[in-house]
Amino acid sequence: MAEENGADFEQPASFAFDAESRAELDRHIAKYPTGKQASAVLPALYIVQRQMKRDTGSAWVPRAAMDEVARLLGMPPIRVYEVATFYTMFALRPIGTWHLQVCTTTPCWLRGSDDVTAACRKFTGIAGWGETSADGVFTMTEVECLGACVNAPVVQVNDDLYEDLDAERTTGLLEALKRGEPPKPGSMTGRQTSAPEGGPTTLTTLDNLGPPNPEPATPAE
Amino acid sequence: MAKVTVDGIEVEVPNGSTVLQACEAAGKEIPRFCYHERLSIAGNCRMCLVEIERAPKPVSSCSFPVADNMVVKTDSPMVRNGRRGVMEFLLINHPLDCPICDQGGECDLQDQALGYGMDHSRYKENKRAVKDKDLGPLVKTVMTRCIQCTRCIRFVSEVAGVPDLGATSRGENMEVGTYVERALGSELSGNIIDLCPVGALTSKPYAFTARPWELKKTDGIDVLDAVGTNIRIDSRGPEVLRILPRINNDVNEEWLGDKSRFFVDGLKRRRLDRPWVRRDGRLVPASWAEAFATIAQRLQGVPGERIGAVAGDLCDAESMLALKDLMAALGSANLDCRQDGARLDASRRDFYLFNSSIAGIEEADALLLVGSNPRHEAPVLNARIRKQWLHTNMPLGVIGPAADLTYAATTLGDGPGAISALLDGSHSFAPMLRDAKKPMIVVGQGALRRPDGAAVLAACWKLAAAFGGLSAGWHGFNVLHTAAARVGALDLGFVPGPGGRGFESMLGGRVDVLWLLGADEFDTARIGADTFVVYQGHHGDRGAARADVILPGAAFTEKPGTYVNMEGRVQRGLLAVYPPGQAREDWRIVRAFSEVIGRTLPYNDLPALRKRLEQANPVFARVGFLPRFGAGDESGPAGDPTAMSAAPLAPAVTNYYQTDAITRASPTMAACTEIYVAPTLQAAE
């Protein structure tokens, strides 16, 4: 997410890690040798984001939290700002309950991500990227490849991937989300991971064979 | 050593050098934007591409190490094509606003575009636009021009040690800035203007003032602190328009403090451009003849011991010598250059010099600051300490008020008690000093201005002696001065002669005539009400307000002058512009006055005066060059190390931006004071 400075929202004045976050952060800090605590900046920002989700329902990283991370890790605040603004995974402004991260990279686009995007826009009423719906439930972000091209097109909702979408299935997904009943992540057509649609197409005759790994045939003498 | 062939020229460079350094050794110029000798290597501008034999692609020479028998081509078709491509990419988003850009004429991008640019653009899309950042009153930003070389970011993080700048977001959206809007909190921030290869960072006070080709460039020496920074004074007609640093690796490398760079508007304000004489309690304009006659008349019948002279902090050696000679002719030994009351011992040169030398900081392996905040007293020198700390992580101790010095220093105590604790070995820092082979003890003016200054000075000398700081090969005793004229004055013996009065005992009416040569840094109310004050100087400041006669002198940009920096290096500045109005070079004023009272000084021109300077002290013959001495004699300066009081040390400089008459007249420095100093003073209250 780009520069979020001249903000139309309120930055909290302070941020403190709660016990749960602090324990997790300490676990990450302990991975690095003394003096290299700054290496834990990425997990630290994730922890912030998750704590914000728990506390406020919106997973974002306020500036006060970045300053707190800088203080804890002994690095200049600007170094934390650099990291937080570089990665699109950190939201630097409050977002909706469900963060729709729509992949529009070539494989998804070829498989119809335009339809998915349009369905999202129609359902949520969100006009542009990076915006939040009027009811504050959805935020839409355009993302690059999520690494699930075999099941394109893909939308990442908060931390989970929903695959094999089309306009209709997307609308269904959004309705479920809005009800607060997120479906099981993965392919929305019901196929197993990235197995062929409609069941196996190869090795179909192996059904009658015995158990796997039969004893090797004795070589001819 | 590695043997490298660059365009057929064979050179030998040390292993670990970069290809770019090898090319430079062969005399080949490599265009570059992000690479800078004094910063870490980034390798992101790609302009320094060269062809290396058997490498399939062009290589960025700044970040590629040499190998033995490497064959480099710096001007092959592949190289030229590659650089043209890089230039085309750089110009995609760079605005074509050279006609309204302050960098125009001294812009690296402009220069290189001439060599590698195309006459038209193939890019039809919109250019990127970036919001400008507010970096305070000194640095102006036009961030659309930024080519993201990151030199400024690396400078503030590495050299200045105030990591405020960074690159936020990425790709097309990457921006250089502070993210949270704020003024740069470094005393060296002006250097990023020099470092910026394009017009993204330019000087705010100098904006839209001049083009570089209109300027006359004069070599000068900065006098606003005691480092003796080598500067270039850029002037047009009668006006000094800007100050830039010159490279001198032994003194300032290529940096310049903000005060010394941005004070120039102070040279045009509150100037004394004609003589003034006080009549009936009011200063009225007068002619030179009237002014001289008034002084001559007042001097009549006054015995020598009732006349005194005080030299200020910005004086050149020539004028101080002329004044000293004049005082001698009047039979007075009442001289002093220590208007801040610093208890400096002038009896031996190494008692008041920065003996390790500024470049010598890079040999030190432990450093102790006593009553000094070099960040405010000598920011360029502070950058050198930081550099050595970064390279060696040497132990640093501070005795005095805790302050952010841009490096990790242990505060040993706020008063001289810590010196005693070090001396008897009871302090935990003592072993670190003892382990050091080349320890440095740096005494600041904050420690010497106190009534027990002489005791602190002697104690610090003892400290240097006790911890192996005084040997034939290393002199670890250092005095950090804040006044540019101080060392020169001490070298000339501008201190009370036999039976003469010092600064304090000239106040309170104990002399009848007091000649202030640019001396403004004290409370003039302490001068006795009946004392007749002659103020010779260039700015209407405290001294001029109290004066009975004002003799308008020249600021350091307006006269050729010799200055001795804190390490004892004699340097000369040249005249950049003429003094305003009827103001004159200071030594000429003194010489002219000596003629009026019939005690003509024996020099008519500058060469003759400089001969006399060499006569007065042979060090003045050694211009620019600084021989390093070890400590030959361990006997310390006068003063009883046990007589130190327990009072905490106070900083010598509370406001870095306003330390003298020129900077107090500068609106830019006033703006800096308001933004950088006022909040801290308020917080302290």
Side-chain angles (χ1 to χ4, degrees):
Chain A
M1 271 196 192
E3 177 77 20
E4 302 292 342
N5 243 335
D8 49 352
F9 56 93
E10 199 132 323
Q11 288 275 4
S14 67
F15 177 90
F17 283 96
D18 60 22
E20 182 185 344
S21 302
R22 191 58 225 232
E24 201 185 343
L25 180 59
D26 288 342
R27 202 166 51 76
H28 284 287
I29 292 176
K31 287 184 200 165
Y32 304 103
T34 330
K36 307 280 182 194
Q37 282 75 17
S39 302
V41 64
L42 275 172
L45 289 169
Y46 261 124
I47 293 166
V48 167
Q49 197 156 281
R50 270 184 236 128
Q51 182 181 330
M52 286 302 285
K53 178 82 179 170
R54 284 199 302 276
D55 294 352
T56 69
S58 170
W60 69 294
V61 183
R63 198 156 74 216
M66 293 193 263
D67 293 340
E68 176 67 7
V69 168
R71 194 185 65 78
L72 283 175
L73 302 183
M75 56 200 291
I78 183 72
R79 298 281 100 85
V80 183
Y81 305 153
E82 285 179 331
V83 171
T85 53
F86 184 89
Y87 292 100
T88 52
M89 299 79 182
F90 298 118
L92 299 180
R93 52 164 64 222
I95 59 167
T97 318
W98 302 107
H99 188 190
L100 310 177
Q101 296 152 81
V102 187
C103 175
T104 57
T105 309
T106 316
C108 280
W109 175 68
L110 286 169
R111 299 274 295 151
S113 69
D114 283 352
D115 295 342
V116 175
T117 309
C120 287
R121 292 206 190 292
K122 194 171 164 212
F123 186 85
T124 61
I126 299 172
W129 292 118
E131 290 174 15
T132 303
S133 61
D135 54 8
V137 176
F138 295 105
T139 296
M140 263 177 82
T141 319
E142 184 178 34
V143 295
E144 300 304 332
C145 187
L146 293 169
C149 309
V150 276
N151 291 17
V154 181
V155 171
Q156 184 183 348
V157 178
N158 293 355
D159 291 338
D160 299 316
L161 291 190
Y162 292 91
E163 300 151 356
D164 293 329
L165 292 163
D166 59 11
E168 197 182 317
R169 285 192 283 270
T170 304
T171 313
L173 170 67
L174 296 178
E175 274 165 358
L177 289 173
K178 191 156 187 179
R179 285 195 306 272
E181 301 161 2
K184 186 173 158 283
S187 172
M188 301 308 284
T189 56
R191 69 165 149 165
Q192 184 193 359
T193 62
S194 51
E197 283 178 357
T201 55
T202 54
L203 304 177
T204 47
T205 55
L206 293 176
D207 282 351
N208 302 328
L209 291 180
N213 298 326
E215 276 176 42
T218 324
E221 282 176 28
Chain B
M1 299 293 270
K3 201 191 292 168
V4 182
T5 312
V6 181
D7 293 347
I9 304 166
E10 215 168 83
V11 288
E12 283 216 4
V13 291
N15 290 328
S17 304
T18 63
V19 174
L20 190 144
Q21 284 166 325
C23 294
E24 291 200 324
K28 297 289 169 190
E29 199 184 317
I30 307 291
R32 85 285 303 264
F33 296 117
C34 72
Y35 176 80
H36 192 276
E37 294 86 342
R38 292 177 212 276
L39 303 175
S40 62
I41 293 170
N44 56 8
C45 78
R46 315 312 290 179
M47 196 62 202
C48 62
L49 295 178
V50 295
E51 182 177 352
I52 295 175
E53 222 164 65
R54 294 199 301 279
K57 295 186 288 185
V59 167
S60 80
S61 60
C62 74
S63 54
F64 201 81
V66 292
D68 211 11
N69 298 321
M70 196 178 246
V71 179
V72 182
K73 292 182 199 156
T74 68
D75 199 23
S76 65
M78 183 209 262
V79 171
R80 254 176 284 161
N81 254 332
R83 289 183 190 165
R84 277 192 200 123
V86 170
M87 178 56 75
E88 190 175 5
F89 272 120
L90 284 175
L91 292 181
I92 278 180
N93 276 323
H94 192 81
L96 293 175
D97 62 352
C98 302
I100 55 151
C101 175
D102 260 330
Q103 193 83 353
E106 50 187 1
C107 174
D108 290 355
L109 188 65
Q110 207 176 25
D111 295 349
Q112 297 303 341
L114 206 67
Y116 299 101
M118 281 208 286
D119 59 347
H120 68 284
S121 172
R122 293 188 289 177
Y123 189 73
K124 306 288 182 225
E125 286 75 11
N126 286 332
K127 286 184 186 245
R128 180 182 98 113
V130 183
K131 225 172 120 190
D132 293 342
K133 312 287 183 292
D134 185 0
L135 297 182
L138 301 177
V139 181
K140 181 187 164 189
T141 63
V142 183
M143 295 317 283
T144 303
R145 295 179 190 145
C146 176
I147 58 168
Q148 302 168 343
C149 69
T150 69
R151 273 187 190 178
C152 53
I153 300 175
R154 283 175 283 147
F155 176 82
V156 296
S157 328
E158 293 162 17
V159 179
V162 183
D164 281 351
L165 279 177
T168 52
S169 298
R170 60 165 159 181
E172 169 96 342
N173 297 319
M174 177 176 151
E175 290 186 14
V176 173
T178 51
Y179 192 66
V180 181
E181 195 141 287
R182 62 155 138 207
L184 285 179
S186 168
E187 290 73 25
L188 292 168
S189 66
N191 293 300
I192 63 176
I193 297 169
D194 295 343
L195 288 171
C196 184
V198 295
L201 306 174
T202 52
S203 168
K204 205 174 246 181
Y206 173 75
F208 307 130
T209 307
R211 284 298 187 192
W213 55 85
E214 304 170 332
L215 301 171
K216 187 181 90 175
K217 296 153 182 85
T218 314
D219 287 355
I221 300 298
D222 172 53
V223 303
L224 302 184
D225 60 33
V227 173
T229 303
N230 292 206
I231 53 170
R232 193 184 92 192
I233 304 160
D234 283 4
S235 56
R236 186 177 56 188
E239 248 185 312
V240 174
L241 293 179
R242 66 170 176 180
I243 305 275
L244 296 176
R246 274 186 292 142
I247 295 180
N248 186 335
N249 283 330
D250 290 336
V251 182
N252 56 303
E253 301 181 88
E254 57 182 278
W255 316 127
L256 179 62
D258 283 353
K259 172 174 62 175
S260 311
R261 181 190 295 265
F262 293 107
F263 76 94
V264 280
D265 49 0
L267 286 171
K268 289 190 291 186
R269 287 173 174 79
R270 289 201 223 154
R271 286 307 297 270
L272 302 169
D273 58 354
R274 61 185 309 164
W276 298 74
V277 173
R278 194 176 291 274
R279 291 215 176 91
D280 308 324
R282 284 183 53 120
L283 283 168
V284 292
S287 70
W288 275 107
E290 283 169 327
F292 280 167
T294 312
I295 307 170
Q297 198 187 349
R298 182 67 183 78
L299 277 174
Q300 257 168 23
V302 178
E305 67 264 23
R306 299 289 294 171
I307 305 171
V310 178
D313 292 348
L314 311 178
C315 303
D316 54 312
E318 285 87 351
S319 61
M320 289 190 289
L321 179 66
L323 186 58
K324 189 189 175 198
D325 286 348
L326 177 72
M327 286 297 136
L330 289 167
S332 165
N334 304 333
L335 299 169
D336 214 336
C337 60
R338 296 162 297 190
Q339 46 170 338
D340 54 358
R343 267 60 173 186
L344 287 159
D345 188 337
S347 62
R348 221 169 72 197
R349 206 164 181 241
D350 60 345
F351 290 164
Y352 58 82
L353 287 187
F354 197 89
N355 293 298
S356 304
S357 85
I358 295 173
I361 294 172
E362 292 182 28
E363 295 169 28
D365 49 5
L367 196 143
L368 175 68
L369 295 163
V370 182
S372 172
N373 179 343
R375 182 170 173 189
H376 292 151
E377 293 166 20
V380 172
L381 185 143
N382 198 50
R384 189 83 79 141
I385 299 177
R386 179 177 153 80
K387 184 179 174 187
Q388 178 66 359
W389 170 76
L390 276 180
H391 285 179
T392 65
N393 206 11
M394 63 171 168
L396 282 150
V398 176
I399 300 178
D404 176 10
L405 295 171
T406 72
Y407 37 81
T410 327
T411 305
L412 310 184
D414 58 357
I419 306 179
S420 315
L422 280 172
L423 276 173
D424 60 30
S426 62
H427 200 286
S428 58
F429 195 73
M432 301 194 209
L433 273 182
R434 192 165 293 121
D435 289 348
K437 291 194 176 58
K438 293 186 170 182
M440 282 179 75
I441 311 292
V442 178
V443 195
Q445 301 304 301
L448 303 179
R449 278 177 190 177
R450 306 145 45 96
D452 63 342
V456 177
L457 188 76
C460 289
W461 179 278
K462 223 174 133 189
L463 209 53
F467 290 100
L470 304 178
S471 65
W474 177 253
H475 203 316
F477 176 80
N478 300 284
V479 178
L480 196 140
H481 289 272
T482 51
R486 189 66 52 84
V487 172
L490 295 171
D491 281 346
L492 287 171
F494 208 98
V495 287
R501 291 175 180 279
F503 174 68
E504 291 293 329
S505 54
M506 282 189 257
L507 302 176
R510 276 168 282 183
V511 290
D512 292 332
V513 178
L514 186 60
W515 191 300
L516 301 178
L517 181 63
D520 291 294
E521 307 311 313
F522 65 100
D523 180 9
T524 50
R526 291 165 65 208
I527 304 173
D530 297 330
T531 305
F532 182 84
V533 177
V534 178
Y535 180 79
Q536 178 184 350
H538 39 80
H539 274 75
D541 206 70
R542 295 171 197 154
R546 168 62 184 82
D548 293 289
V549 173
I550 295 174
L551 305 175
F556 71 99
T557 51
E558 295 153 6
K559 59 187 170 190
T562 305
Y563 303 92
V564 190
N565 78 351
M566 66 170 92
E567 44 175 0
R569 184 186 303 271
V570 180
Q571 302 187 103
R572 261 183 201 151
L574 302 175
L575 174 146
V577 296
Y578 287 97
Q582 297 175 38
R584 291 292 178 267
E585 259 173 65
D586 290 272
W587 76 268
R588 284 178 200 277
I589 297 173
V590 178
R591 163 69 178 69
F593 178 71
S594 71
E595 201 168 335
V596 169
I597 56 168
R599 294 170 200 221
T600 312
L601 297 174
Y603 22 82
N604 298 326
D605 51 19
L606 201 57
L609 175 54
R610 287 192 169 153
K611 271 240 156 56
R612 166 89 185 98
L613 210 53
E614 287 172 31
Q615 231 170 43
N617 193 335
V619 298
F620 285 99
R622 244 175 9 218
V623 176
F625 165 71
L626 182 77
R628 294 261 304 274
F629 299 105
D633 185 354
E634 281 204 21
S635 58
D640 177 10
T642 56
M644 292 185 291
S645 81
L649 297 160
V653 173
T654 45
N655 178 359
Y656 163 68
Y657 296 97
Q658 292 183 321
T659 51
D660 47 74
I662 309 180
T663 46
R664 278 193 292 269
S666 156
T668 308
M669 290 297 105
C672 287
T673 303
E674 202 166 301
I675 286 179
Y676 296 112
V677 186
T680 57
L681 289 182
Q682 269 166 13
E685 270 167 19

